[in-house]
Structure formats: structure tokens, C-alpha cells
């Protein structure tokens, strides 16, 4: 499912606080994922279904010089300031390193966030080689755009229908919007 999130208030809050958009959005997605069991459900190597207690975000970092990406992960903390420290540490230590996964020891309880900040989109689809057994959500963010007096961020949410359906994705997106609208309370 692809939808637009109104980030007008969020961008205003972040600009006033002189803090970056990327970690705030990653935090908001991770906080919502961790609120709902259906977004923390996965299969182990034996095919047994279980629910992780906590999920950590894994996100793409673009290397402008080589036009390649690396995948970093950051330990989630429900306290935004602690999460931001974790994120900043990981970006500082591993952000410029090449390779697919420069930060070692990626745990199994991570979910993916990718970003396509060069274009807005109204639909997006991934085809995974082992998609039938991949139950965790995948988020793709696009380039935000202005519509009237609002800033809108395209977000694609890919889920496995065995653990999540339209109701769950809509609830997730509605709650994500509410959290974005009230982000200033986290600072």
C-alpha cells in the first residue's frame, strides 16, 4: 500500500529544533512497528512463526561519490533522545563505510526502511526472492512534495498478507500520522 503522510508540522518542529528529518522519521516508523505484533511477526530458519519483543530499524545510507548504498541498523529505544544518540553514533562510525552492511552483527529482529528522495511516487512494489516466507514489513519513503500549504511524504508499506492486512496497514498509517503531528513532545 502506498499513501501520503502529512509532514508539515513535523518538518516545522524539526526545523525549529535544528534537528534532522531522517532519524526522526526512522524513529517514528520503528516506534509504530514496535507497537503492533503483526509488524514484529517473523519465521525462523525452521519455519516456525514467532513475534519479536522489539524490532530495530535497518535503513539505507546513500554514498553520493559512488552512487551506492549501505544498509545500517540502529538499536531502537522508545526514548527518542536515546534513539537519536544511537543513530548518530552509527552514522558517525559506519555511515561513510562502503559495502552492503558495514555495521557488524545485524540481528534477526530488524525491519527495512529505504528511501528514494529523488522522486515522489504514488505506487511502489518490491519482489523478494523468498517473499513467501518474509513476514516483516518493508517501508519505502519518497521525496516529499508540496500540495497547497502542506508537505506530503509518499510512503510505501509492503507486508505479508499472512500476518497483516489492509486494516492493520491503515491503522499503522493513521497512527504514524498522529505521531508525526505530535512529534514536538518527544524533543
Amino acid at each position: 500500500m502506498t499513501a501520503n503522510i502529512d509532514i508539515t508540522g513535523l518538518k516545522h518542529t524539526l526545523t525549529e529544533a535544528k534537528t534532522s528529518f531522517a532519524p526522526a522519521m526512522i524513529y517514528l516508523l520503528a516506534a509504530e512497528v514496535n507497537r503492533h505484533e503483526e509488524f514484529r511477526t517473523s519465521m525462523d530458519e525452521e519455519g516456525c512463526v514467532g513475534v519479536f519483543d522489539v524490532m530495530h530499524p535497518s535503513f539505507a545510507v546513500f554514498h553520493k561519490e559512488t552512487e551506492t548504498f549501505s544498509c545500517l541498523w540502529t538499536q531502537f529505544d522508545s526514548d527518542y533522545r536515546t534513539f537519536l544518540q544511537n543513530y548518530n553514533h552509527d552514522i558517525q562510525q559506519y555511515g561513510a563505510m562502503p559495502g552492503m552492511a558495514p555495521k557488524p552483527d545485524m540481528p534477526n529482529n530488524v525491519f527495512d526502511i529505504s528511501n528514494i528522495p529523488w522522486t515522489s511516487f504514488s505506487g511502489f512494489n518490491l519482489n523478494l526472492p523468498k517473499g513467501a516466507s518474509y513476514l516483516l514489513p518493508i517501508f519505502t519513503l519518497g521525496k516529499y512534495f508540496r500540495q497547497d500549504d502542506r508537505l506530503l511524504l509518499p510512503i510505501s508499506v509492503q507486508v505479508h498478507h499472512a500476518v497483516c492486512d489492509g486494516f492493520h496497514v491503515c491503522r499503522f498509517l493513521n497512527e504514524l500520522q498522529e505521531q508525526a503531528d505530535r512529534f514536538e513532545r518527544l524533543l
Side-chain angles (χ1 to χ4, degrees):
M1 180 182 290
T2 301
N4 294 320
I5 299 294
D6 185 343
I7 59 165
T8 309
L10 175 63
K11 285 290 287 177
H12 177 75
T13 298
L14 295 170
T15 300
E16 282 190 351
K18 297 180 179 155
T19 189
S20 177
F21 177 74
M25 200 66 217
I26 292 168
Y27 170 83
L28 288 172
L29 288 167
E32 278 308 310
V33 163
N34 279 293
R35 281 189 186 93
H36 298 287
E37 218 175 77
E38 60 271 12
F39 291 97
R40 295 182 282 119
T41 302
S42 187
M43 276 196 265
D44 64 17
E45 296 80 26
E46 288 81 40
C48 297
V49 176
V51 178
F52 288 113
D53 293 332
V54 65
M55 294 294 296
H56 305 291
S58 170
F59 49 92
V61 176
F62 183 65
H63 304 292
K64 195 182 266 188
E65 320 74 49
T66 59
E67 296 181 347
T68 60
F69 289 90
S70 292
C71 186
L72 295 183
W73 65 278
T74 291
Q75 183 174 339
F76 178 71
D77 194 287
S78 61
D79 177 71
Y80 175 67
R81 292 178 186 168
T82 303
F83 174 80
L84 185 58
Q85 287 175 335
N86 294 343
Y87 172 88
N88 286 334
H89 174 267
D90 291 337
I91 289 293
Q92 216 170 22
Q93 186 155 356
Y94 305 105
M97 294 176 117
M100 189 59 182
K103 182 179 175 183
D105 305 321
M106 183 181 288
N108 290 331
N109 56 329
V110 296
F111 69 96
D112 295 310
I113 303 170
S114 60
N115 194 6
I116 307 173
W118 305 280
T119 192
S120 295
F121 52 78
S122 57
F124 186 84
N125 184 54
L126 290 173
N127 293 300
L128 302 175
K130 295 181 182 179
S133 60
Y134 192 82
L135 303 182
L136 295 173
I138 300 172
F139 300 93
T140 305
L141 307 175
K143 178 181 181 180
Y144 58 83
F145 62 96
R146 187 166 294 282
Q147 186 175 63
D148 300 323
D149 62 343
R150 303 178 321 156
L151 284 177
L152 301 177
L153 175 72
I155 179 172
S156 173
V157 184
Q158 185 154 317
V159 296
H160 197 296
H161 200 251
V163 295
C164 190
D165 64 22
F167 166 81
H168 300 99
V169 175
C170 291
R171 177 176 61 191
F172 181 95
L173 291 170
N174 289 334
E175 290 177 1
L176 180 65
Q177 182 66 67
E178 290 172 13
Q179 297 306 319
D181 290 344
R182 300 184 315 188
F183 190 79
E184 70 277 350
R185 76 194 189 299
L186 300 173
L187 296 175

